[in-house]
């Protein structure tokens, strides 16, 4: 990443099963700007070997003593350097070096786990269990992904070859790891179809208190395994919903949402259901973008690579499932809806199923006359429901009493909506944005029910209010709203100071390499977050969607799925 700090680049490298992150300090730049800020941990210490030890509730994270060097006249010269802890920040304590040459700071992060696989695979989502175990989920493109427990629900997938010959046909996979990330406990596949048709994505997942795993995604398989589900049959969809750059082809059947519940030991599919109407559901897309086979196709609600597969599953205090997603169907299942009809093109949807996935509690569209999508959903201390998303519609309902009652302009705005505990009444809603491109990707709620929203706002003009930290001109924002959604309590912009949206909080790094990808677990002041990079393409940096708080979401990997914990903020 160029200019992470002024004159300082960050490079991330997977090497022999470990993650390396190198800072390249260009001549004249100040390495003292580099600070690794930690939160959510129990203790920081530097051991006798000079290694940094991060003590967490899930175990220890170790960063090896930094190796720092310069190349002077063709020779490598090691520079004396050590970690230094200042409050909850870690800096590099450097001795004398040549300020006219590039300085490379080269620590190594250990205890990284990867699921090396002959079969190509994308990691899309991750979460953890209440016992500290870790789960990752994504898509596979063949039958040679590791399955350490032969008793897992499905260890064969629907493929017969390590590399499937039909591009874009996938099954979902779910893997469970020990708390320290060193051992894969089990993997199961989930899906229908065969080597030429029937595709599943794994877009979001969450564990209940018993460590059973709930999974939300999209499927084009008409024989997806259904166990006691609310909707037993695939409702159809529009053909050729294909996403070339993303490696996902839904082919002729179109897409429905699926929701599944898998036992903690991975051996049983406890419940599953389709959910959708007669057009495509669960995949955020723009019709004019076609098969997403060019950089230009990534536009408006799908500006970032991976935006098609946003959405979130959440559990309420009773363990019932809340899902935020999108649909083009005019016959999407609705019940006790606050918006009973699709208002045009693609609408967002929000709905709730019982914890056994057999009954619909309520369901509603949310959108206007243009494209809309819901991305994230949470529940506050009074069981009110908050959800956010993106919209190109100037006529969303229920926003008249919110902080921003009107569409702000540009190709898209973000939005935030608060429902009462029944899910059937809107308490308040607001647009969030500027006159340029904006989206709201993630919502979180604090102990006082204040509402935090993270998103993109191209142009660097999102309002900065009561904020001590700001990186002017950046196109990522975080805003803290009061519980009524009428007051901006705090907001700021952060990032690299570039007014063009090229990264958002969680980033994908594109390099001229293939067959590598990495999944990070990142800690902010309120949450753990996974991030990744994908080496396949050389165009714009792309954003990967995710959960904050205790739920992690959407990362895109290639060939290797790495699971480990990286607590350094940047």
């Amino acid at each position: 990443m160029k200019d992470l700090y002024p004159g300082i680049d960050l490079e991330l490298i997977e090497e022999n099963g470990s993650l390396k992150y190198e800072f390249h300090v260009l001549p004249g730049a100040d390495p003292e700007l580099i600070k690794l800020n930690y939160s959510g941990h129990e203790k920081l210490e530097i051991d006798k070997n000079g290694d940094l030890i991060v003590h967490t509730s899930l175990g220890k994270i170790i960063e090896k003593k930094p190796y720092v060097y310069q190349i002077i006249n063709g020779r490598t010269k090691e520079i004396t350097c050590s970690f230094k802890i200042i409050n909850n920040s870690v800096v590099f304590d450097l001795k004398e070096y040549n300020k006219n040459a590039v300085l490379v700071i080269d620590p190594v992060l250990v205890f990284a786990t990867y699921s090396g696989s002959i079969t190509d695979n994308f990691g899309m989502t991750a979460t953890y269990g209440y016992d500290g175990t870790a789960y990752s989920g994504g898509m596979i493109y063949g039958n040679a992904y590791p399955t350490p427990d032969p008793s897992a629900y499905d260890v064969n997938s629907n493929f017969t070859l390590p590399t499937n010959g039909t591009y874009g046909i996938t099954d979902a996979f779910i893997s469970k790891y020990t708390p320290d990330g060193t051992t894969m406990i089990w993997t199961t596949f989930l899906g229908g179809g065969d080597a030429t048709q029937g595709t599943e994505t794994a877009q979001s997942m969450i564990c209940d208190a018993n460590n059973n795993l709930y999974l939300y995604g999209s499927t084009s398989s008409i024989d997806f395994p259904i166990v006691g589900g609310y909707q037993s049959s695939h409702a159809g969809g529009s053909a050729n919903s294909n996403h070339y750059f993303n490696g996902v082809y839904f082919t002729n059947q179109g897409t429905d949402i699926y929701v599944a519940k898998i036992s903690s030991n991975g051996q049983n599919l406890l419940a599953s259901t389709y959910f959708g109407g007669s057009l495509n559901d669960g995949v955020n897309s723009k019709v004019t973008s076609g098969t997403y086979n060019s950089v230009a196709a990534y536009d408006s609600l799908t500006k970032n690579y991976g935006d098609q597969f946003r959405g979130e599953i959440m559990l309420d205090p009773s363990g019932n499932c809340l899902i935020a997603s999108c649909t083009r169907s005019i016959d999407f299942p609705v019940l006790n809806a606050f918006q009973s009809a699709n208002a045009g093109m693609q609408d967002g949807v929000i709905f709730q199923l019982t914890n056994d996935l057999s009954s619909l509690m309520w369901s509603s569209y949310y959108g206007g006359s243009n494209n809309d999508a819901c991305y994230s959903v949470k529940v506050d201390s009074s069981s009110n429901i908050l959800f956010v998303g993106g919209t190109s519609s100037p006529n969303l309902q229920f926003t008249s009493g919110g902080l921003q009652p009107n569409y702000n302009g540009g190709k898209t705005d973000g939005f935030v909506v608060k429902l009462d505990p029944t899910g059937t009444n809107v308490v308040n809603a607001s647009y969030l944005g500027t006159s340029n491109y904006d989206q709201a990707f993630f919502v979180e709620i604090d102990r006082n029910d204040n509402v935090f929203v993270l998103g993109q706002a191209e142009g660097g003009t999102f309002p900065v209010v009561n904020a001590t930290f700001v990186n002017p001109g950046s196109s990522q924002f975080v805003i803290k709203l009061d519980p009524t959604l009428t007051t901006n309590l705090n907001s700021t912009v952060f990032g690299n100071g570039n007014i063009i949206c090229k990264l958002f909080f969680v980033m994908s790094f594109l390099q001229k390499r293939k067959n590598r990808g990495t999944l990070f677990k990142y800690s902010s002041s309120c949450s753990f977050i996974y991030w990744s990079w994908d080496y396949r393409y050389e165009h714009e940096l792309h954003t990967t969607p995710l959960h904050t708080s205790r739920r992690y979401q959407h990362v895109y990997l290639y060939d290797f799925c790495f699971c480990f914990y990286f607590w350094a903020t940047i």
Side-chain angles (χ1 to χ4, degrees):
M1 190 195 316
K2 296 292 185 183
D3 288 325
L4 178 67
Y5 301 97
I8 302 174
D9 300 337
L10 173 67
E11 182 175 353
L12 296 168
I13 307 165
E14 179 274 318
E15 184 176 276
N16 298 323
S18 292
L19 170 73
K20 292 179 62 176
Y21 65 96
E22 294 181 353
F23 291 103
H24 292 214
V25 182
L26 303 183
D30 184 2
E32 292 185 2
L33 293 173
I34 302 172
K35 292 183 180 180
L36 307 180
N37 299 316
Y38 290 78
S39 62
H41 60 287
E42 295 174 349
K43 184 174 69 171
L44 293 174
E45 67 173 338
I46 299 170
D47 70 10
K48 62 181 181 181
N49 298 317
D51 299 341
L52 176 67
I53 313 298
V54 184
H55 296 264
T56 80
S57 59
L58 298 180
K60 296 178 182 179
I61 312 303
I62 300 175
E63 292 192 50
K64 302 297 288 183
K65 179 182 177 180
Y67 172 66
V68 179
Y69 66 92
Q70 293 180 295
I71 298 177
I72 307 293
N73 296 324
R75 295 185 178 183
T76 300
K77 179 181 180 182
E78 185 174 353
I79 307 299
T80 301
C81 179
S82 60
F83 286 119
K84 183 177 181 180
I85 299 172
I86 303 176
N87 297 322
N88 279 322
S89 297
V90 176
V91 299
F92 298 101
D93 189 8
L94 287 158
K95 302 306 180 184
E96 186 176 351
Y97 69 96
N98 187 337
K99 294 180 173 56
N100 296 315
V102 174
L103 179 75
V104 179
I105 302 174
D106 182 13
V108 177
L109 179 69
V110 298
F111 298 146
T113 294
Y114 62 91
S115 54
S117 169
I118 297 172
T119 293
D120 288 346
N121 56 88
F122 285 94
M124 298 183 73
T125 177
T127 191
Y128 68 83
Y130 279 77
D131 57 357
T133 52
Y135 296 80
S136 67
M139 304 179 297
I140 59 160
Y141 295 81
N143 69 353
Y145 189 89
T147 54
D149 182 358
S151 299
Y153 169 71
D154 179 2
V155 296
N156 297 311
S157 81
N158 291 296
F159 300 115
T160 58
L161 297 172
T163 301
N164 186 39
T166 304
Y167 185 82
I169 305 301
T170 72
D171 272 357
F173 76 85
I174 305 97
S175 297
K176 183 176 182 178
Y177 296 85
T178 54
D180 62 2
T182 60
T183 303
M184 183 189 290
I185 301 171
W186 54 258
T187 288
T188 185
F189 305 115
L190 186 64
D194 53 34
T196 61
Q197 56 81 37
T199 285
E200 280 75 36
T201 60
Q203 294 171 221
S204 176
M205 59 190 187
I206 189 172
C207 281
D208 66 14
N210 296 316
N211 298 313
N212 299 310
L213 185 73
Y214 288 81
L215 179 68
Y216 144 76
S218 302
T219 179
S220 63
S221 298
I222 61 174
D223 57 349
F224 186 91
I226 300 299
V227 177
Y230 168 76
Q231 181 179 321
S232 59
S233 299
H234 193 284
S238 301
N240 299 317
S241 176
N242 300 325
H243 307 264
Y244 179 77
F245 271 15
N246 302 85
V248 180
Y249 273 29
F250 291 108
T251 62
N252 293 328
Q253 295 98 310
T255 61
D256 269 5
I257 292 167
Y258 75 83
V259 186
K261 181 180 181 181
I262 299 170
S263 62
S264 177
N265 63 11
Q267 296 178 9
N268 300 292
L269 180 60
L270 301 175
S272 58
T273 187
Y274 290 106
F275 204 87
S278 58
L279 296 180
N280 289 338
D281 315 284
V283 178
N284 178 26
S285 65
K286 185 178 181 181
V287 171
T288 55
S289 292
T291 59
Y292 287 90
N293 60 358
S294 68
V295 176
Y298 290 82
D299 185 48
S300 59
L301 294 186
T302 54
K303 184 178 180 67
N304 307 285
Y305 180 93
D307 278 348
Q308 299 100 313
F309 309 111
R310 291 189 181 274
E312 185 170 45
I313 186 169
M314 188 66 190
L315 301 180
D316 72 6
S318 299
N320 299 311
C321 294
L322 288 158
I323 293 156
S325 189
C326 60
T327 184
R328 290 190 174 274
S329 298
I330 60 173
D331 54 354
F332 190 85
V334 294
L335 179 66
N336 301 321
F338 54 85
Q339 180 180 320
S340 60
N342 187 324
M345 303 176 71
Q346 176 182 282
D347 267 9
V349 290
I350 184 87
F351 60 95
Q352 186 170 30
L353 296 163
T354 54
N355 58 17
D356 63 359
L357 309 183
S358 66
S359 299
L360 179 62
M361 301 175 71
W362 56 267
S363 175
S364 182
Y365 292 97
Y366 187 68
S369 56
N370 210 318
N371 288 324
D372 318 276
C374 300
Y375 299 143
S376 180
V377 58
K378 294 294 184 297
V379 181
D380 72 11
S381 64
S382 300
S383 296
N384 297 301
I385 299 155
L386 279 296
F387 67 92
V388 301
T391 180
S392 295
S393 299
N395 55 343
L396 289 180
Q397 298 184 64
F398 312 115
T399 61
S400 60
L403 174 70
Q404 293 183 352
N406 300 314
Y407 189 76
N408 293 282
K411 289 187 176 181
T412 60
D413 264 6
F415 65 79
V416 56
V417 181
K418 183 174 185 176
L419 308 178
D420 70 9
T422 70
T424 60
N425 299 296
V426 176
V427 176
N428 208 351
S430 178
Y431 286 99
L432 291 174
T434 67
S435 60
N436 297 312
Y437 158 89
D438 313 278
Q439 290 213 72
F441 291 136
F442 320 119
V443 62
E444 284 296 333
I445 304 166
D446 70 12
R447 69 187 65 184
N448 298 314
D449 290 337
N450 296 309
V451 179
F452 293 77
V453 180
L454 285 79
Q456 285 178 319
E458 191 170 57
T461 60
F462 195 87
V464 176
V465 177
N466 300 325
T468 56
F469 172 82
V470 60
N471 191 3
S474 295
S475 293
Q476 291 68 240
F477 73 84
V478 58
I479 183 172
K480 178 182 178 181
L481 299 165
D482 75 325
T484 67
L485 308 184
T486 60
T487 303
N488 178 354
L489 300 175
N490 307 90
S491 60
T492 192
V493 294
F494 62 96
N496 63 358
N498 193 327
I499 65 170
I500 304 300
C501 288
K502 288 191 177 180
L503 70 157
F504 172 70
F505 204 54
V506 174
M507 297 151 286
S508 292
F509 301 93
L510 307 179
Q511 305 291 341
K512 295 182 181 179
R513 305 185 190 179
K514 291 184 178 181
N515 299 343
R516 293 184 184 176
T518 302
L519 174 64
F520 301 80
K521 185 177 180 183
Y522 173 96
S523 174
S524 73
S525 60
C526 65
S527 59
F528 300 126
I529 298 175
Y530 283 83
W531 70 3
S532 75
W533 76 83
D534 183 332
Y535 289 132
R536 300 180 307 146
Y537 308 116
E538 301 176 31
H539 50 77
E540 296 286 337
L541 286 170
H542 55 260
T543 300
T544 57
L546 65 143
H547 290 198
T548 53
S549 188
R550 67 176 307 274
R551 307 304 167 200
Y552 319 129
Q553 172 77 350
H554 299 339
V555 288
Y556 289 81
L557 309 165
Y558 190 72
D559 197 28
F560 296 102
C561 177
F562 283 78
C563 282
F564 59 93
Y565 314 126
F566 182 62
W567 259 267
T569 61
I570 56 176

